[in-house]
Amino acid sequence: MRKISSYIGLSAMIALFVAGIAPIAHLIAIVSIKGIQVISSNFPSYLFQERALPGSSEVGGVGPYILGTLVLVAIASAMGIPVSIFAAIYTTQSIRSRVGPVTSTIVRALIEFPTIIVGLTVYGMLRWLEAVLGLLGIQSPIPRFSALSGAIALAIVMLPFIYTQTEESLRGVPIHLREAIYSLGASRIAASMILVRYVRASILAGIGIGVGKAMGETAPLLFTAFGRDIYPESSPRMLFEPIGSLTLAIYNMGLSGYSNWVDSAWGAAFILLAISIGLFIAIRILSAR
Amino acid sequence: MGRKMARGEMLFRSFALSNILIIAIVAVMVILLGSEGVMIYIKEGVSFISTSIWSGARESYGILFALGGSIITSIIAIIIALAIAIGSAVTLSELAPQSMRLFLSSLTDLSASIPTVIYGLWGLYILAPAVGWITREWIPESVRSILGTPGSIGTSLLTASILLSIMISPFATAMIREALSSVPRSIDEALYSLGLTRFEVVVLKLRYIRRAIATAMMIAYGRAVGETIAVSMVVGNVVNPEFWRILSPGYTISSLIADQYQNAESYNYMVPAIFGAALVLFVIGVMINIYVTLITRGQRL
């Protein structure tokens, strides 16, 4: 009797597991099938063209959104990666400083911030900046709806992931190794560089996680990058103008109800999914080292 | 040599600027949220969180409908996610054959790194129609008169809850697995030596880590409340003052903010109202964090 109830109980556990994993498997399968269909029947124009007219029989393309995602993630990485790594090095290598523990606590709170709030507060900060500079008759260098603004929001999103991973991997360095480095008379900067090189695979994994998160985010871009469906006219100016992204495109075209735009959204979703899975595997290989 | 060392030390100390920048940004974020968010309470008073109205044309805002939507969708989501996460954690840590564990747990982990907007798209075109169909075919009219009816494509508060549960359960699974693996082997062996069945051992181990499970659920709740894009795509985005009618479309706070971004600046008070809503979201998150910190303080599990 107890054996039977044990089997029933364990079967229920497995059934719950299947109920949780089945939607994920279905999602990956359906996005791949629909996405590959859309992209292959419009290849390669899908990767370069702008979107088609709503309701037309053409699918058009997602070129401006791919460009937007690349620009946003590149600028966000240029800001977010060095700041997170430098901060994590300082926190772990300066034992007596008060700044380190405060940073650790604050970053661990930041990781739980809803990303919509990150975007909204960047928007609010840039509005303040515009107002203050406006009083002086100066135009703000960072308009609130612009590629730069979106990149700042994404940099804040990726920061805690890279910071915590770097901090934890530096703390994980065996104490005898750390002592050996300092006993050779290395300065703090030299010792830090040696330690960073020692844990570089783990830091790279952290960068992968952070950049992947930033690339997949939509909410922080609503009030910042704002979205745009056409190519910018010139490259330097596009930093100061609203810009689109793959995620914003999936959101807007997915909700639009026009069947050709919805098809296009599935294609964009597949591109993002493929990159996410690629990054996930790369991170797994890096952290296994 | 002396000068070189001094320069290196200065370079090292300049790293602290990154720490200060991070602290300053977060401080400004919180200050800004507080000061911008408070404005709408000066205009609307308590009615901002006690009434259900969102009208740019009348410049009148009350977010009770979205607050209720957020709380109810997140509660339903963590109840479903709790069941899935316990089942998954037990399956992955105790039951699955060793050879399949790595693959299955990788799939669970992978699902945490899929962009949320993709869950939204899947939710809108796969999950929502299924929920709509089940509601129409299986749920009797008498129940629907109490719980409401989904929108034409199946969007509803319940659809959002189910999608949220799928999205947060991998995270909850990971936390419960970690707790399960921290149960000392000696306890395992002692339980089996009492002649208990495998399932009875599992149940006792789950009871042993119940605090860890509770903590995981609280953190998962915080994530569910803050999730924006996926929810915004399946919740229906309708002002629904009767937010307890979970089969009807509605709003959550975060989906309200996301849905209004394009026209917010066209009205005088909509931007302050959005900041006010975000402040409520932030306060919920802070309360959960404080609660989690308090219950985990000084505990082994």
Side-chain angles (χ1 to χ4, degrees):
Chain A
M1 188 62 214
R2 278 173 57 217
K3 266 223 161 107
I4 295 169
S5 68
S6 174
Y7 277 125
I8 294 172
L10 294 177
S11 308
M13 291 289 174
I14 295 172
L16 285 168
F17 168 66
V18 172
I21 206 84
I24 312 273
H26 184 264
L27 177 147
I28 293 174
I30 201 95
V31 169
S32 305
I33 292 167
K34 289 203 175 206
I36 290 174
Q37 236 167 33
V38 169
I39 297 172
S40 62
S41 57
N42 298 280
F43 195 79
S45 61
Y46 182 76
L47 301 177
F48 306 109
Q49 275 181 1
E50 293 175 358
R51 71 174 185 194
L53 288 173
S56 78
S57 57
E58 309 268 303
V59 168
V62 291
Y65 311 127
I66 294 178
L67 175 75
T69 292
L70 289 176
V71 168
L72 286 166
V73 172
I75 305 173
S77 305
M79 296 187 284
I81 295 172
V83 168
S84 347
I85 292 181
F86 290 154
I89 292 174
Y90 188 81
T91 300
T92 49
Q93 301 305 309
S94 66
I95 318 237
R96 260 166 292 167
S97 158
R98 284 238 188 95
V99 177
V102 174
T103 318
S104 287
T105 313
I106 279 194
V107 167
R108 277 166 183 81
L110 183 61
I111 220 168
E112 299 295 335
F113 268 38
T115 54
I116 183 91
I117 289 189
V118 173
L120 196 59
T121 47
V122 168
Y123 162 83
M125 279 184 224
L126 296 177
R127 255 183 18 141
W128 278 4
L129 186 67
E130 280 175 30
V132 171
L133 293 177
L135 288 177
L136 303 170
I138 309 169
Q139 222 191 344
S140 168
I142 311 174
R144 60 189 187 284
F145 296 129
S146 67
L148 283 179
S149 156
I152 293 173
L154 292 187
I156 298 176
V157 167
M158 71 169 68
L159 197 149
F161 295 97
I162 304 175
Y163 175 91
T164 46
Q165 177 87 6
T166 307
E167 192 199 286
E168 274 160 25
S169 55
L170 284 174
R171 281 196 203 288
V173 173
I175 190 85
H176 59 85
L177 189 72
R178 196 186 296 254
E179 280 170 356
I181 293 168
Y182 278 105
S183 70
L184 289 172
S187 65
R188 288 202 285 183
I189 185 87
S192 305
M193 289 307 120
I194 295 167
L195 291 173
V196 164
R197 216 171 302 151
Y198 183 73
V199 297
R200 65 182 180 275
S202 171
I203 294 179
L204 272 177
I207 292 174
I209 296 169
V211 170
K213 286 273 177 216
M215 184 193 68
E217 280 291 349
T218 319
L221 298 178
L222 295 174
F223 282 86
T224 55
F226 198 73
R228 183 175 181 170
D229 302 307
I230 52 171
Y231 276 112
E233 282 148 38
S234 66
S235 43
R237 252 185 54 202
M238 79 178 169
L239 300 182
F240 308 99
E241 291 171 351
I243 199 166
S245 81
L246 283 170
T247 52
L248 283 171
I250 298 169
Y251 179 63
N252 288 321
M253 293 199 293
L255 282 169
S256 71
Y258 297 111
S259 66
N260 63 329
W261 282 6
V262 174
D263 283 347
S264 192
W266 286 106
F270 176 72
I271 296 176
L272 266 187
L273 182 68
I275 301 174
S276 309
I277 294 178
L279 261 178
F280 178 80
I281 294 169
I283 291 163
R284 274 297 155 107
I285 293 170
L286 279 171
S287 357
R289 288 213 187 137
Chain B
M1 183 67 192
R3 265 190 66 190
K4 202 177 155 207
M5 268 180 70
R7 221 192 294 160
E9 183 59 24
M10 250 164 68
L11 184 63
F12 179 81
R13 286 194 184 161
S14 70
F15 285 1
L17 292 176
S18 301
N19 298 62
I20 292 164
L21 180 67
I22 293 171
I23 296 168
I25 287 174
V26 176
V28 171
M29 283 170 76
V30 174
I31 292 167
L32 191 135
L33 206 53
S35 58
E36 293 268 345
V38 152
M39 308 261 232
I40 195 73
Y41 295 91
I42 296 168
K43 178 181 180 288
E44 299 274 351
V46 185
S47 73
F48 183 65
I49 47 170
S50 66
T51 61
S52 289
I53 180 166
W54 189 268
S55 167
R58 299 221 309 265
E59 293 285 4
S60 185
Y61 307 96
I63 58 161
L64 180 63
F65 65 99
L67 180 59
S70 277
I71 292 172
I72 209 157
T73 50
S74 302
I75 287 177
I76 299 171
I78 62 162
I79 292 171
I80 304 173
L82 175 67
I84 292 176
I86 288 180
S88 304
V90 169
T91 305
L92 290 172
S93 315
E94 315 269 327
L95 305 176
Q98 206 71 42
S99 55
M100 281 170 72
R101 276 185 199 182
L102 185 66
F103 173 72
L104 292 175
S105 64
S106 295
L107 196 57
T108 313
D109 293 344
L110 169 67
S111 56
S113 66
I114 296 174
T116 55
V117 70
I118 298 181
Y119 282 99
L121 191 67
W122 180 84
L124 181 59
Y125 288 101
I126 309 292
L127 180 67
V131 171
W133 184 81
I134 290 170
T135 318
R136 270 192 310 276
E137 301 290 324
W138 291 8
I139 308 234
E141 194 65 53
S142 54
V143 177
R144 274 189 277 163
S145 67
I146 303 167
L147 292 180
T149 310
S152 54
I153 42 172
T155 51
S156 71
L157 290 164
L158 181 66
T159 314
S161 307
I162 296 171
L163 187 60
L164 275 174
S165 71
I166 295 169
M167 294 170 68
I168 59 177
S169 53
F171 161 76
T173 303
M175 283 192 73
I176 296 175
R177 280 188 71 194
E178 203 174 301
L180 268 180
S181 68
S182 73
V183 176
R185 264 198 92 81
S186 53
I187 291 187
D188 248 57
E189 282 158 9
L191 290 175
Y192 278 114
S193 72
L194 289 173
L196 296 179
T197 63
R198 222 165 159 193
F199 182 62
E200 285 164 341
V201 172
V202 164
V203 170
L204 285 173
K205 280 173 83 172
L206 287 172
R207 280 181 60 184
Y208 186 75
I209 60 163
R210 62 187 181 277
R211 277 179 203 279
I213 295 176
T215 310
M217 286 302 124
M218 285 308 293
I219 299 174
Y221 187 83
R223 298 210 170 172
V225 169
E227 173 45 45
T228 306
I229 290 299
V231 171
S232 177
M233 290 176 85
V234 301
V235 78
N237 291 338
V238 171
V239 175
N240 173 9
E242 294 167 318
F243 51 79
W244 55 89
R245 294 163 71 110
I246 52 168
L247 290 174
S248 306
Y251 259 126
T252 64
I253 295 179
S254 46
S255 69
L256 175 71
I257 298 173
D259 191 43
Q260 298 294 322
Y261 85 101
Q262 276 174 329
N263 53 10
E265 289 196 348
S266 316
Y267 304 98
N268 288 332
Y269 290 97
M270 197 179 277
V271 172
I274 283 175
F275 273 103
L279 182 62
V280 172
L281 200 60
F282 179 72
V283 168
I284 294 175
V286 169
M287 289 191 321
I288 290 172
N289 263 304
I290 292 174
Y291 180 75
V292 169
T293 314
L294 287 180
I295 61 170
T296 51
R297 179 176 291 166
Q299 279 163 4
R300 288 170 307 147
L301 289 169

